Amino acid sequence: MARIIAGVSSSHVPAIGAAIDNKRTEEPYWKRVFSGFEKSKAWMAKTKPDVVIGIYNDHASAFSVEMIPTFALGCAAEFPPADEGWGPRPVPVVKGHPELASHIATSVILDEFDLTICNKMEVDHGLTVPLNLLFGSPSTWPCPVIPLAVNVVQFPPPTAHRCYMLGKAIRRAVESYPEDLRVVMFGTGGMSHQISGPRAGLINSKFDKAFLDNMVKNPKKLTQISHLEFMREAGAEGIEMVMWLVMRGAMDEKVDEVYRFYTVPASNTAVGHIILENKKRAGTAKHKRAAALRTNRDVRRGK
Ligand code: DHB
Ligand code: FE
């Protein structure tokens, strides 16, 4: 049976990607950002997930503004980098996992979350920058990645609570997939930032740090943050943080915090990052119980 072993959140600032692509990571400004991900890369190299599910948002680069799905699941075999205005980033093509992705689509849609199924899709910095931050710059990404794009570019985005509940539905989907896969969920975007208008450059470290604390201790409190509060406290683009809650919803209620990092700024954005693991023992026991319950239910239903 597949299971979610860990969740990773990180900002996805496009300028971080540009710093990598233009070999500027050693400059003091960027070194401060990248040095915060050294431990994360070591953790990832040790964790070696079989699959990553990457929750990110498209920035009107692959989808344009003609069609804006609220939740779009990448079911294709591969996802080339999108042209974001200066050519596609020179990063490897993201290879998907069509079998697990179509299983997730089936399970989650029948669970009453209406995903858009994407059989052809390009991915922008929202996904590829966090991949760089966690995997470095290999010639191919070390594992398949299933992208799940969330609309945070045009009002109304999904609520924080809806995102958290989607995470739970994804977990149910993963745990009903028969192959033994170790899955890591990424939640990308944030933290506080606003890139245009009179409040451009807004950063609210107090809000961000409380958000990081509650990602560990009290995610339910975060599900109550309204769109207006995100906008007021974390700037117009702070709403990207709802994507962290998809990841958090897929995790156990109680998690181990493996690592966190926060620095200000990268471009216009506060960079926040956290790695959470499901508790190994409790997770395993809970897992077995859930699997037994499912088996009993299926037997009762004659499946
Ligand atoms: C910036 C950050 C983002 O998350 C984004 O999508 C675009 C720009 C920035 O800080 O410049
Ligand atoms: Fe963004």
Side-chain angles (χ1 to χ4, degrees):
M1 177 179 71
R3 63 194 182 94
I4 293 167
I5 54 166
V8 175
S9 291
S10 101
S11 306
H12 64 210
V13 189
I16 295 178
I20 297 169
D21 302 343
N22 297 309
K23 311 208 172 342
R24 293 175 60 180
T25 55
E26 290 303 313
E27 293 175 10
Y29 180 92
W30 290 113
K31 212 175 165 68
R32 168 182 51 87
V33 174
F34 289 104
S35 62
F37 289 85
E38 286 307 318
K39 286 203 173 109
S40 322
K41 282 196 282 187
W43 173 86
M44 190 52 108
K46 201 174 74 193
T47 303
K48 289 193 183 61
D50 297 310
V51 184
V52 163
I53 301 175
I55 317 297
Y56 78 108
N57 68 288
D58 182 72
H59 299 75
S61 23
F63 295 158
S64 86
V65 284
E66 289 170 10
M67 244 185 282
I68 305 180
T70 300
F71 296 118
L73 183 70
C75 295
E78 50 180 50
F79 307 94
D83 184 344
E84 302 184 44
W86 41 86
R89 288 194 63 211
V91 288
V93 167
V94 171
K95 306 281 184 188
H97 194 305
E99 295 80 15
L100 178 58
S102 64
H103 173 83
I104 292 173
T106 306
S107 173
V108 169
I109 293 170
L110 296 181
D111 219 355
E112 303 183 343
F113 272 90
D114 308 315
L115 303 181
T116 300
I117 296 168
C118 293
N119 293 321
K120 186 168 187 232
M121 183 163 118
E122 294 176 347
V123 291
D124 75 3
H125 68 269
L127 186 72
T128 58
V129 164
L131 291 179
N132 281 133
L133 289 172
L134 273 294
F135 290 118
S137 299
S139 55
T140 55
W141 300 120
C143 70
V145 178
I146 299 175
L148 196 159
V150 178
N151 166 38
V152 290
V153 297
Q154 182 170 320
F155 190 82
T159 62
H161 181 253
R162 186 70 174 154
C163 288
Y164 186 73
M165 297 311 285
L166 174 62
K168 293 193 178 301
I170 292 173
R171 179 180 179 144
R172 286 192 289 275
V174 167
E175 291 184 352
S176 60
Y177 191 72
E179 197 183 335
D180 284 333
L181 296 175
R182 296 161 64 257
V183 178
V184 170
M185 293 271 292
F186 278 31
T188 78
M191 295 194 96
S192 55
H193 63 305
Q194 173 147 340
I195 48 186
S196 60
R199 296 202 309 163
L202 177 144
I203 281 176
N204 182 348
S205 297
K206 196 164 165 237
F207 178 89
D208 291 339
K209 288 179 178 167
F211 196 95
L212 284 165
D213 285 342
N214 283 327
M215 278 293 285
V216 185
K217 288 191 306 221
N218 194 357
K220 290 214 177 96
K221 188 165 179 200
L222 301 179
T223 68
Q224 299 309 304
I225 301 176
S226 67
H227 290 136
L228 204 60
E229 191 178 347
F230 272 118
M231 176 84 96
R232 189 179 62 230
E233 298 297 326
E237 276 73 36
I239 188 66
E240 288 184 344
M241 279 185 265
V242 294
M243 296 183 290
W244 291 33
L245 291 170
V246 181
M247 175 280 264
R248 188 60 183 90
M251 300 289 292
D252 288 349
E253 231 151 85
K254 287 204 163 45
V255 289
D256 289 324
E257 177 178 343
V258 175
Y259 180 62
R260 103 166 55 173
F261 174 61
Y262 184 80
T263 188
V264 171
S267 184
N268 286 307
T269 303
V271 171
H273 168 50
I274 199 160
I275 301 179
L276 307 173
E277 278 182 2
N278 279 334
K279 291 185 183 292
K280 284 186 186 80
R281 280 241 193 86
T284 310
K286 208 168 152 192
H287 237 84
K288 284 186 182 149
R289 213 162 48 237
L293 284 174
R294 260 195 314 275
T295 311
N296 289 345
R297 187 196 61 194
D298 289 348
V299 167
R300 274 198 314 276
R301 291 178 180 173
K303 281 191 194 160

